[in-house]
Amino acid sequence: MTQNSPNLELPFLQPSQAQKHVTHNEALRRLDIVVQLRLQQTGASVPPAQAQEGDIHGLGTGATGAWAGQDGMLAAWLDAAWHFVAPQTGWRAWDMAGDQMVIWDGTGWTALQPELDELDRIGIGTSADATNRLAVQAPATLLSHAGQGHQLKVNKASGADTASLLFQSGWTGHAEMGLAGQNAFSVRVSDDGSNWTEALRLDGATGHATGSAVQADVADATPGRLLKTGAFGLGETGATTQIPDIDATDTPAGAYRYISTTPGADSFPDALENAYGVIRIERSNAGQLRQTVWRNNFEHGIWTRTHFSGAWGSWRQVYDQTTILGTVSEAGGQPTGAVIERGTTAQGDYVRFADGTQICTRFFSTAASSHAWSFPAAFISAASISLQAMARHATAPRLVTESGDLSATGVTLKVWNAAGTAASAPAHVTATGRWF
C-alpha cells in the first residue's frame, strides 16, 4: 500500500503507526492549502516581508529568499514557516490580486477562459430571457474592428420574415429600419407603436425610392416630401406634366406644358392660342405669382403676366433683339406687335413706334413748283401730322408750303421763290404724327 494519495499526495495512516495524529494533521494541512484555493498573487518571486497565516502565493520563475529553488510551487505561510506544494495541471484558483479565476496549465497560471459557444443566453447588466437571449444594459455598446473593417449582420430565414433594427421609447416602438417582411430596405415610423407608416422603401433591384416621404406623383405638393425626377418640370427629359388649369392660382411653382384645349388657354393672346407650349410659374407668396409662356415651333416670342391683388394682369410680350423690330400693331391702344417697324415704298420711308409715333420722309429729286405726296404709311388723321419741308436750289432760296389739302394719307406741296412766285425746285419733306 502506498503512503500518499495519487492526486493531492495526502499522507495515509499506516497500520500500527505511532503518533497517527501527526500524519492526519499533515493531510488536513495539505487539504487546507489546495482545496478552495485562493492565491494572494501569481508569478510571485519575492517573499512578502509580513506574511499572514494561511496566505498562499503562486510562484513564478526566479524565486528568491525563502522561496529560492521553488519556482512554480504553491508557497503557503503556516505556523510561521513556508510550506510548498506542487500544483497539478488543471488546478483552479482565485487570483486575489488579479481578481480573476486562473488555471495551472503545467508551466504557469493563466486566466480561465469560459466556454462561450452554444450558450442559452447572456445578460450583461440585466437579465436575458427566452426571446431576448442577448441583453445589454449600459450607457453604450461598442462594436469595433479587429484590424480592418467591421460588419453588423442581421440575418433572417426567408423573405417574409423580418431582419431590422427597432428603436423604442419606454418599450414602445417608434422607428424601424431594415427588411421588414420583405427584401426591400425600408424605414417605417409610428407614433403609438401600433400604427406604422412606411416612410421610405428602397427597391432591391433598382434602388429607387418610394414611400410616404416621397412624392406620390410629379405634381404632388405635400409639404415635407422628397421630389421625384420631373417634379414640377425639374430634371425632366421628356414631356413635362400638363398644367390642369392655366388660370388657377394654386398650381405649385414649376414648369408645365399646355395644349390648345387646356382650361384657361382662351385667355392667351392670339399668338399662343390653338398651340402647344410650356408655361412656367414663379411665386413670391400664395397670392402673388408670375406666369411665363413660350410656344412650340415659335422661334421668337415669350409672354408673361402676373397675379396680384386677386386678379390676373394682361399678357405682355417680352422683347429681345430678334423681336424688337417687326410689324407694329395695337389693340385698344395697347401695343401688341413689335417695338419698331421700318418700311420703304415708292412714296418714301416710314418708321412706326409701338407708342403710336410715326415718321414719314421723302426726297423729291425732280425740280417742280408742286409736289404731290402720298404718305408711305397712313396716319390716324391729318390733325395729328406735323409737316416740315425744305426746297433745294443752287442760287436762290425757296419756300415750300402745303397747298391746304393735307390729309391722313397725303399732301400737295407748293414751292415759292423769295418774291412769292411759284418756282421749281427739288424738295425734302418730313411728316411726323401718330398712327394710332
Side-chain angles (χ1 to χ4, degrees):
M1 179 178 179
T2 61
Q3 295 184 358
N4 296 88
S5 66
N7 292 319
L8 298 182
E9 296 187 358
L10 303 177
F12 291 138
L13 297 177
Q14 299 298 322
S16 303
Q17 177 181 343
Q19 296 185 322
K20 294 184 178 182
H21 65 281
V22 175
T23 301
H24 178 67
N25 289 341
E26 179 62 25
L28 293 178
R29 185 191 303 275
R30 192 174 185 87
L31 285 173
D32 190 62
I33 294 175
V34 301
V35 174
Q36 299 294 336
L37 182 59
R38 297 186 307 163
L39 302 178
Q40 300 300 313
Q41 58 181 328
T42 59
S45 60
V46 178
Q50 295 292 330
Q52 299 295 321
E53 181 73 14
D55 285 353
I56 305 174
H57 299 264
L59 305 187
T61 59
T64 61
W67 294 349
Q70 301 294 331
D71 290 359
M73 300 291 282
L74 296 176
W77 181 255
L78 301 171
D79 299 330
W82 290 106
H83 296 261
F84 300 98
V85 175
Q88 302 296 313
T89 300
W91 281 15
R92 302 182 183 189
W94 182 254
D95 180 0
M96 299 178 67
D99 195 27
Q100 62 181 340
M101 183 68 71
V102 293
I103 187 170
W104 178 258
D105 62 7
T107 58
W109 294 98
T110 60
L112 179 64
Q113 299 295 330
E115 179 59 57
L116 298 180
D117 287 340
E118 300 293 338
L119 294 179
D120 181 62
R121 63 187 66 174
I122 297 178
I124 301 176
T126 187
S127 298
D129 56 42
T131 300
N132 302 293
R133 298 185 183 182
L134 172 61
V136 179
Q137 180 174 301
T141 300
L142 174 63
L143 303 174
S144 188
H145 63 84
Q148 295 180 338
H150 184 90
Q151 287 183 322
L152 176 62
K153 300 178 180 180
V154 182
N155 187 50
K156 62 179 182 175
S158 66
D161 295 324
T162 293
S164 67
L165 298 180
L166 177 64
F167 300 89
Q168 298 177 321
S169 177
W171 306 111
T172 297
H174 291 290
E176 183 179 18
M177 65 179 183
L179 311 181
Q182 31 77 31
N183 286 336
F185 184 84
S186 66
V187 177
R188 63 178 192 154
V189 292
S190 174
D191 186 54
D192 56 11
S194 298
N195 300 302
W196 291 83
T197 298
E198 187 176 62
L200 192 65
R201 176 185 290 195
L202 302 179
D203 184 83
T206 65
H208 294 174
T210 57
S212 62
V214 182
Q215 283 183 302
D217 54 58
V218 295
D220 181 3
T222 304
R225 290 189 169 175
L226 302 175
L227 299 182
K228 292 176 176 284
T229 299
F232 313 116
L234 301 175
E236 183 59 76
T237 58
T240 56
T241 301
Q242 182 172 319
I243 190 170
D245 185 350
I246 293 170
D247 290 334
T249 59
D250 58 352
T251 305
Y256 305 85
R257 64 184 175 90
Y258 71 89
I259 60 177
S260 58
T261 58
T262 299
D266 53 358
S267 69
F268 281 150
D270 293 343
L272 295 176
E273 286 187 323
N274 300 318
Y276 298 81
V278 173
I279 181 168
R280 187 178 67 194
I281 298 176
E282 300 167 278
R283 291 182 170 276
S284 60
N285 61 38
Q288 298 180 5
L289 59 149
R290 181 176 72 172
Q291 293 178 334
T292 303
V293 176
W294 62 267
R295 172 183 165 184
N296 288 1
N297 303 321
F298 196 75
E299 183 178 1
H300 309 300
I302 297 175
W303 286 262
T304 183
R305 70 173 180 173
T306 59
H307 186 274
F308 185 75
S309 297
W312 284 108
S314 301
W315 286 104
R316 300 179 184 275
Q317 187 173 5
V318 179
Y319 292 94
D320 58 26
Q321 68 270 27
T322 62
T323 56
I324 193 170
L325 296 177
T327 300
V328 175
S329 59
E330 59 84 26
Q334 294 294 324
T336 58
V339 177
I340 302 173
E341 178 181 339
R342 177 181 292 276
T344 299
T345 72
Q347 297 298 323
D349 301 322
Y350 72 91
V351 177
R352 278 184 171 179
F353 298 92
D355 70 342
T357 301
Q358 178 173 282
I359 302 174
C360 296
T361 60
R362 182 175 178 182
F363 174 62
F364 291 92
S365 60
T366 302
S369 60
S370 178
H371 299 283
W373 184 27
S374 296
F375 300 135
F379 291 91
I380 189 173
S381 69
S384 72
I385 301 173
S386 173
L387 195 64
Q388 293 180 334
M390 179 182 65
R392 296 183 180 181
H393 195 270
T395 59
R398 296 288 188 268
L399 177 64
V400 180
T401 65
E402 49 149 319
S403 65
D405 60 351
L406 175 64
S407 70
T409 58
V411 66
T412 299
L413 306 173
K414 295 293 185 178
V415 182
W416 310 89
N417 60 21
T421 305
S424 296
H428 186 277
V429 63
T430 300
T432 304
R434 297 190 61 79
W435 63 275
F436 78 86

